[in-house]
Amino acid sequence: ACASGLVAWIATGEVAADGRAKQLERLRQFSEFGVRRMPAREFSLATFDRPVVITGLIDDWPARRTWSFGALRSRIGQALVDCGSLCNDGLPFYAVAYNAGRQPGRCDTDLYVFDADFSDQSGKASLLDDWRPLDILSSSDVFSVGAAATHPDRPHWRWMLAGPPGSGSPMHKDPWVYSSWNASLVGSKRWILFPPDIPRVVLHPPQQGIVGSFFTALGLPGYRSAADFMDEVLPTLREGGLGHVEVLQCPGEVVAFPAGWWHAVVNLDATIAVTESFGEPCNLEAIVRTLSEGNLKAFAEVLLAENRQSLESRIGCSGPVA
């Protein structure tokens, strides 16, 4: 009986792995939709009102030439990286690199690094030498003005990302009225983005059955992974004329989007990327309000004081987020 149970358990695992691999292969089959692509020399913040793919912007980064899972394993293999609630104390990067090298469907897609700790104590501080701020996007960042830039309550704003095929981020909006950019260094990503005014319930329709009841009990009605969203929900939403954008991001490309845009991302390959978020001056009022509501009132007051001139002139982006 024990032997037959073990065989059944292994068979169930193999079926699930094959299902995940087949789902990922389906997700590779799509066409871009509604996206603007342009070289860096043509980009302007004055027209930054929709997601955009910018090319040629990170060609001179050391990270573009030298980062790989093998190279980073040799360099920061023992350093702990943040993989979310799955490992509260962090996980050594070598374990993440090993997992990313497993076959699609058989890797653990929950081991997705979203790490913001580049302190000297982290063992990752030298990584900051390998990429540079993208001034054409964030030169007017309200979070980096004066005392706000180094304030101890400033929220995280830059991250290293690394994960296996099939990992990703579920449908969400970035916090703190952040606008953001994401630079892919290794591997390709599939993005789906929706305008800020699309109601949450449209993008998170309730699930039926036990799974739906489970996530509802957790306070996450309609929660789906990014892969499940693209597989199950997106085909219907495409017919609604909601102004969505679909993107295939290849290594060396930067995806940027204004504050408030919904987005979900699936890593089609084992991927490494860096991402930074910034605040546009025309969104300052909304940023201050959101920070205050999020128990960061002291920081909000510093931010406002350092950016009063921007608030008065209301310049720096195509339109404020309500």
Side-chain angles (χ1 to χ4, degrees):
C2 291
S4 62
L6 178 61
V7 170
W9 179 78
I10 293 174
T12 300
E14 286 297 305
V15 170
D18 287 342
R20 291 191 296 270
K22 290 177 180 177
Q23 181 187 57
L24 184 60
E25 200 54 40
R26 287 196 302 273
L27 295 180
R28 297 180 191 275
Q29 312 302 316
F30 80 104
S31 298
E32 290 191 320
F33 180 83
V35 64
R36 295 186 300 180
R37 287 181 162 272
M38 63 184 64
R41 65 180 180 276
E42 295 181 6
F43 176 81
S44 170
L45 273 178
T47 58
F48 183 48
D49 58 351
R50 288 179 58 81
V52 61
V53 178
I54 308 173
T55 58
L57 192 53
I58 64 170
D59 292 347
D60 62 344
W61 283 8
R64 183 75 180 93
R65 300 187 304 273
T66 62
W67 283 20
S68 66
F69 278 97
L72 291 183
R73 182 175 60 239
S74 298
R75 187 171 167 186
I76 61 166
Q78 297 295 330
L80 298 180
V81 290
D82 186 354
C83 296
S85 59
L86 195 67
C87 43
N88 290 328
D89 296 327
L91 195 70
F93 186 82
Y94 71 78
V96 173
Y98 169 77
N99 181 64
R102 301 178 68 191
Q103 289 295 314
R106 286 160 175 77
C107 51
D108 186 345
T109 57
D110 288 330
L111 293 186
Y112 185 31
V113 174
F114 213 92
D115 194 272
D117 184 4
F118 302 100
S119 64
D120 291 338
Q121 296 76 22
S122 73
K124 296 164 288 184
S126 67
L127 297 181
L128 295 178
D129 297 331
D130 293 347
W131 85 80
R132 303 181 181 93
L134 299 183
D135 289 339
I136 68 168
L137 284 158
S138 56
S139 60
S140 299
D141 178 22
V142 300
F143 287 88
S144 61
V145 175
T150 56
H151 195 281
D153 290 340
R154 180 184 180 181
H156 291 313
W157 55 277
R158 62 185 174 195
W159 298 264
M160 177 184 71
L161 307 131
S167 60
S169 301
M171 184 61 67
H172 68 286
K173 290 184 178 183
D174 284 352
W176 315 123
V177 198
Y178 274 152
S179 300
S180 300
W181 58 258
N182 179 297
S184 180
L185 299 166
V186 175
S188 298
K189 298 172 177 281
R190 178 177 174 181
W191 292 71
I192 176 72
L193 305 99
F194 286 86
D197 60 350
I198 303 301
R200 185 188 189 284
V201 68
V202 173
L203 302 178
H204 293 275
Q207 296 191 68
Q208 303 301 314
I210 296 176
V211 173
S213 299
F214 173 75
F215 283 116
T216 298
L218 292 178
L220 299 169
Y223 172 84
R224 291 171 175 82
S225 70
D228 286 345
F229 175 87
M230 294 180 187
D231 208 22
E232 301 169 3
V233 180
L234 180 59
T236 299
L237 295 182
R238 281 193 180 118
E239 303 171 1
L242 300 177
H244 78 286
V245 174
E246 298 188 53
V247 177
L248 173 63
Q249 181 188 18
C250 298
E253 296 181 339
V254 173
V255 171
F257 51 92
W261 276 74
W262 294 95
H263 54 287
V265 188
V266 170
N267 296 317
L268 300 178
D269 310 305
T271 63
I272 302 173
V274 294
T275 182
E276 293 191 4
S277 295
F278 56 98
E280 297 183 71
C282 64
N283 291 328
L284 182 58
E285 289 176 281
I287 291 169
V288 169
R289 181 173 64 251
T290 303
L291 289 168
S292 298
E293 294 170 351
N295 295 319
L296 291 174
K297 187 173 182 179
F299 175 68
E301 291 174 350
V302 172
L303 187 77
L304 180 59
E306 295 287 356
N307 287 276
R308 281 197 184 280
Q309 186 174 356
S310 295
L311 182 62
E312 293 168 0
S313 58
R314 297 298 296 268
I315 61 172
C317 66
S318 57
V321 173

